[in-house]
Amino acid sequence: MKILVIEDEQSLRENITNYLNVDGNICESCSALNPALQKLSDYDYDCVLLDIGLPDGEGFGVLQYLRSNQKNEGVLIISARNSLEDKLKGLDVGADDYLTKPFHLAELKARLMAVYRRKALNTNNKLIFNEIAIDVQGRTVEVNETAIVLTRKEYDMLLYFIANKGKVISKNAIAEHLWGDEMDMHDNFDFIYTHVKNLRRKLLDAGGKDYLTSIYGIGYKFVG
Amino acid sequence: MKLSAHYTRTSIYITLTVLLAGAVIYYFAINYIAQQQLDQGLQQQLIEAEEYVRSSNLNPQQYDLDRDHAVFTRTNEQKLQKRFFDTTYFNPKEQRKEAGRAVEDLVELKDTNYKVVITISRAGQKYLIEVITIITLVLLAGLLLVLFIINKYMLNGLWKPFQLTLKEIKQFNIADVDQFKGKPSKVDEFAELNEAIREMSLRVTYDYLNLKQFTENASHEMMTPLAVVTTKLDTLIQDETLSAGQLEQITDIYSSINKSSRLNQSLLLLAKLENKLITDNESINLETVLPEKMLQFQELMQTKDLSFEHNLQPKQVLASKYLIDILLNNLFSNAIRHNNSGGVIIIELNGEQLSIKNTGANHSLNEDLIFERFQKGKESQGTGLGLTLVKNICQHYGYDIHYTYDSGQHTFILKF
């Protein structure tokens, strides 16, 4: 997957590109609106990560550019502005998703993968990971061609882990992903453990490998 | 009461008082003038009577004329002050007594003094005064009626520009691009009012945009560093050489960051609420939203072994989905966080109110303080803004929220 990160905050930009630059992804970045427009006119990308507040203009300009040039890049807006107006405006102008700062990199990756799947894999909704096959449209999972029944939370968790395979994911990030950052779940992470345990058991029961490793003190890792 | 009604009432009171006082003065003045007229007539009669007595040289006889009569009485008095007085007059034609006016004087004839009393009828004068009074009263009533009608129907027309201005002010929405225009008016006061409102609306709109920009900038400035820290930590935990102890510390940092970012969002939201910057209202059915919330909080409930009891009836509210979400999130997490293990949460919704009752600590909370900012129990992990947000959201929509405690049951009641 080829990604363009448009973000003016240098360290944030570096963290994002470092996190995304695995599994054969190519991640390029720029820090302002005009170079971004230049890059978008010169190259094609699969996905664009877009910060709205750029030093030389509003990031909405990128969306307008993409639309008026019939370009098919999926766009994920990242913004510190959390007003509903901005969210609606972004989605109206053609963004595929909207993520507010601060966010976890794992969340960013999962959302980016979802945008990419919707855009690029429109014809084939199957997400295959070794013996696990996920139909993202029907929200069904097969292991070794045997259907397994996951709860909504387990399903979301599995997709989240696969999107971030090989990365350590903190319990905070998982909680925020599953319950939303507006819900204060942080006095108690026990229920994450319960969901992870159930998911692992269901995958193992269907003959899958054990991909989930618990990282003591911080969270989990889905080892690809 | 409307200003025009006030005006009508005042002007009618004043007119009525002035007219009544005028009528009284008028009545006495006419009475006085008429009396002077009568007295002049009597004086004339007296002179004629004296002439008659002197010229006839006879003992004066009583005589009656058309509407007056004279009586002569012999008297020994040498001196008598001439006086006019009110008396009764016997009308011989109609054989009845009438109000009369008389004059009394002495007439001398051949060293004999006669007291002469001439009386005339006042009936004609009384009739005149009655007619004048009736005409005056009719005029008075007519005047009042005309005044009332003018005030009620014609002065209302004068207020029309004011009503239009008022209507426009009521429809004025700060978030709209359209600003206040005001209908042009020939009346100076209304033109001035429109001008003042126009200036005020410009200023308010400017302030609104300023504040909106400030909250957005503040949000940006505060959230960006938090985003940097979060992503740095996300990168840091990929390092496999970190010890479990170090990772646990990182978890704590994550939690703190999460807390401060939620605090930030809450403060910005409060600022927005207090300045009425949230306007995205839609119709929400609480009867369907509440079960979704219960589902959302399911895991939290399970870890504390809590159970829900609920009795829900349909209730539509017109509000921002986002704010209702925050409102319910805070009430629910509050009911869960401060609950006993194995306790219950009872939710009741009807057309008038929503009540969320939970078991918990065996003492009442201070109702004056719980909705204040940063008031929280020592054991609470919250930001201390949850219930403040609840209160402000309720205020925003004109709901009434209060807290009651009854033997281990803490209840929040929200009246629509």
Side-chain angles (χ1 to χ4, degrees), chain B residues 316-335:
Chain B
Q316 296 278 347
V317 291
L318 191 68
S320 157
K321 204 170 179 173
Y322 173 59
L323 289 186
I324 291 294
D325 201 49
I326 292 170
L327 176 86
L328 294 179
N329 273 352
N330 282 311
L331 285 175
F332 271 68
S333 52
N334 195 61

Side-chain angles (χ1 to χ4, degrees), chain B residues 316-371:
Chain B
Q316 296 278 347
V317 291
L318 191 68
S320 157
K321 204 170 179 173
Y322 173 59
L323 289 186
I324 291 294
D325 201 49
I326 292 170
L327 176 86
L328 294 179
N329 273 352
N330 282 311
L331 285 175
F332 271 68
S333 52
N334 195 61
I336 293 170
R337 190 180 289 145
H338 301 291
N339 219 321
N340 300 328
S341 199
V344 285
I345 296 173
I346 303 164
I347 298 163
E348 277 170 11
L349 172 74
N350 59 38
E352 276 111 50
Q353 63 176 50
L354 165 71
S355 79
I356 296 182
K357 186 184 280 185
N358 66 276
T359 46
N362 261 329
H363 59 84
S364 171
L365 304 168
N366 186 340
E367 204 202 338
D368 294 332
L369 290 178
I370 49 170
F371 293 111

Side-chain angles (χ1 to χ4, degrees), chain B residues 188-380:
Chain B
D188 284 353
E189 282 85 348
F190 291 142
E192 213 172 309
L193 178 73
N194 280 345
E195 190 50 41
I197 294 170
R198 190 161 31 242
E199 268 173 32
M200 198 176 73
S201 77
L202 281 177
R203 210 165 46 231
V204 165
T205 312
Y206 173 77
D207 285 352
Y208 165 81
L209 291 175
N210 234 359
L211 188 77
K212 196 164 171 260
Q213 193 149 35
F214 168 76
T215 48
E216 274 156 17
N217 288 346
S219 161
H220 187 265
E221 294 309 318
M222 290 187 280
M223 295 306 185
T224 305
L226 290 176
V228 173
V229 178
T230 309
T231 53
K232 288 257 184 230
L233 289 178
D234 284 341
T235 315
L236 189 62
I237 58 170
Q238 308 306 327
D239 185 346
E240 283 171 27
T241 60
L242 289 177
S243 71
Q246 285 169 321
L247 289 172
E248 266 176 48
Q249 286 191 23
I250 292 176
T251 300
D252 288 346
I253 302 174
Y254 270 130
S255 296
S256 298
I257 290 171
N258 183 274
K259 211 162 142 180
S260 47
S261 77
R262 282 192 312 114
L263 190 66
N264 242 332
Q265 276 166 358
S266 299
L267 284 172
L268 286 168
L269 185 63
L270 279 176
K272 283 184 182 178
L273 270 175
E274 279 165 14
N275 291 287
K276 309 222 182 303
L277 296 185
I278 294 168
T279 49
D280 55 314
N281 287 352
E282 57 185 294
S283 184
I284 297 167
N285 186 2
L286 289 181
E287 196 197 11
T288 56
V289 173
L290 282 166
E292 285 166 22
K293 275 279 159 258
M294 292 180 212
L295 212 62
Q296 192 186 336
F297 281 91
Q298 203 179 19
E299 284 94 354
L300 271 183
M301 302 275 294
Q302 280 163 3
T303 54
K304 270 192 142 175
D305 200 18
L306 303 176
S307 59
F308 270 128
E309 283 174 26
H310 56 86
N311 176 15
L312 307 179
Q313 282 163 18
K315 171 67 188 170
Q316 296 278 347
V317 291
L318 191 68
S320 157
K321 204 170 179 173
Y322 173 59
L323 289 186
I324 291 294
D325 201 49
I326 292 170
L327 176 86
L328 294 179
N329 273 352
N330 282 311
L331 285 175
F332 271 68
S333 52
N334 195 61
I336 293 170
R337 190 180 289 145
H338 301 291
N339 219 321
N340 300 328
S341 199
V344 285
I345 296 173
I346 303 164
I347 298 163
E348 277 170 11
L349 172 74
N350 59 38
E352 276 111 50
Q353 63 176 50
L354 165 71
S355 79
I356 296 182
K357 186 184 280 185
N358 66 276
T359 46
N362 261 329
H363 59 84
S364 171
L365 304 168
N366 186 340
E367 204 202 338
D368 294 332
L369 290 178
I370 49 170
F371 293 111
E372 287 293 308
R373 291 177 187 203
F374 304 116
Q375 288 288 336
K376 54 175 180 175
K378 286 188 188 81
E379 70 280 13
S380 172

Side-chain angles (χ1 to χ4, degrees), chain A residues 15-16 25 41 62 76 80 84 87 91 127 140 155 162 165 170 189 206:
Chain A
N15 287 333
I16 293 171
N25 290 332
S41 75
V62 169
L76 171 60
L84 197 74
K87 285 186 196 174
L91 297 175
L127 173 68
T140 53
Y155 173 84
I162 291 177
K165 60 177 183 285
S170 66
F189 286 137

Side-chain angles (χ1 to χ4, degrees), chain B residues 15-201:
Chain B
T15 317
L16 209 59
T17 317
V18 169
L19 285 181
L20 283 177
V24 170
I25 294 167
Y26 189 54
Y27 173 80
F28 281 110
I30 285 188
N31 227 359
Y32 177 75
I33 291 165
Q35 196 154 303
Q36 291 296 309
Q37 209 79 39
L38 279 178
D39 289 358
Q40 263 179 31
L42 281 172
Q43 179 66 40
Q44 198 62 41
Q45 296 280 344
L46 194 62
I47 293 166
E48 280 173 20
E50 281 171 357
E51 289 286 327
Y52 154 72
V53 168
R54 265 186 224 112
S55 60
S56 65
N57 253 348
L58 293 169
N59 275 353
Q61 294 292 313
Q62 175 175 335
Y63 65 87
D64 283 310
L65 289 173
D66 188 20
R67 271 207 168 269
D68 51 353
H69 58 88
V71 180
F72 299 88
T73 332
R74 184 191 278 256
T75 177
N76 292 325
E77 283 176 66
Q78 290 303 309
K79 231 177 161 189
L80 187 70
Q81 180 64 44
K82 181 167 77 177
R83 65 181 186 107
F84 294 93
F85 58 95
D86 287 333
T87 179
T88 51
Y89 169 83
F90 185 79
N91 190 332
K93 268 186 199 158
E94 302 193 7
Q95 292 293 313
R96 62 181 171 95
K97 280 186 176 173
E98 289 172 357
R101 184 81 177 161
V103 67
E104 187 185 60
D105 205 358
L106 274 187
V107 184
E108 200 191 296
L109 180 73
K110 293 176 208 156
D111 300 326
T112 317
N113 278 346
Y114 292 93
K115 185 168 87 177
V116 57
V117 177
I118 302 171
T119 314
I120 58 173
S121 168
R122 279 174 66 191
Q125 187 212 10
K126 243 182 94 183
Y127 173 72
L128 191 68
I129 289 175
E130 269 169 21
V131 168
I132 289 174
T133 308
I134 287 168
I135 290 173
T136 312
L137 285 177
V138 168
L139 271 179
L140 189 87
L143 191 64
L144 283 180
L145 190 70
V146 168
L147 199 69
F148 182 74
I149 290 171
I150 285 178
N151 284 349
K152 191 166 172 67
Y153 295 102
M154 304 188 65
L155 286 182
N156 265 1
L158 276 183
W159 284 101
K160 203 135 215 170
F162 177 78
Q163 310 282 8
L164 289 173
T165 303
L166 193 67
K167 199 174 150 202
E168 205 176 331
I169 296 173
K170 278 183 186 161
Q171 285 169 348
F172 179 75
N173 184 350
I174 202 165
D176 283 352
V177 191
D178 287 348
Q179 38 160 294
F180 178 86
K181 288 186 190 70
K183 297 275 176 299
S185 171
K186 282 181 209 150
V187 183
D188 284 353
E189 282 85 348
F190 291 142
E192 213 172 309
L193 178 73
N194 280 345
E195 190 50 41
I197 294 170
R198 190 161 31 242
E199 268 173 32
M200 198 176 73
S201 77

Side-chain angles (χ1 to χ4, degrees), chain A residues 59-207:
Chain A
F60 294 118
V62 169
L63 291 165
Q64 273 142 12
Y65 172 82
L66 289 177
R67 201 156 68 164
S68 55
N69 288 280
Q70 276 101 43
K71 293 185 69 108
N72 199 32
E73 276 86 350
V75 179
L76 171 60
I77 291 180
I78 46 170
S79 173
R81 297 186 208 164
N82 69 344
S83 81
L84 197 74
E85 261 172 66
D86 278 321
K87 285 186 196 174
L88 291 177
K89 187 176 171 191
L91 297 175
D92 274 354
V93 182
D96 296 276
D97 203 355
Y98 196 111
L99 186 60
T100 44
K101 291 177 187 171
F103 50 79
H104 285 283
L105 289 171
E107 183 66 29
L108 181 79
K109 179 98 188 281
R111 299 268 198 118
L112 204 59
M113 294 300 283
V115 167
Y116 175 64
R117 270 199 308 272
R118 277 204 300 274
K119 280 273 171 184
L121 307 176
N122 232 349
T123 45
N124 180 9
N125 286 309
K126 281 257 158 93
L127 173 68
I128 313 281
F129 178 77
N130 297 343
E131 71 273 23
I132 304 170
I134 304 171
D135 180 348
V136 283
Q137 197 136 49
R139 294 177 72 88
T140 53
V141 181
E142 286 176 4
V143 178
N144 291 325
E145 281 154 26
T146 321
I148 58 169
V149 181
L150 297 183
T151 65
R152 213 173 112 184
K153 292 254 158 56
E154 288 158 7
Y155 173 84
D156 287 344
M157 209 176 226
L158 179 62
L159 267 189
Y160 192 61
F161 278 134
I162 291 177
N164 290 287
K165 60 177 183 285
K167 300 283 190 187
V168 178
I169 308 172
S170 66
K171 278 185 265 193
N172 300 70
I174 297 170
E176 274 182 42
H177 178 73
L178 293 183
W179 288 278
D181 54 355
E182 272 151 24
M183 235 173 107
D184 183 15
M185 313 292 281
H186 295 87
D187 7 2
N188 199 325
F189 286 137
D190 292 352
F191 42 85
I192 296 177
Y193 170 72
T194 316
H195 286 301
V196 170
K197 195 180 75 183
N198 291 341
L199 175 64
R200 174 192 271 146
R201 200 199 65 231
K202 283 181 185 176
L203 293 175
L204 287 175
D205 284 355

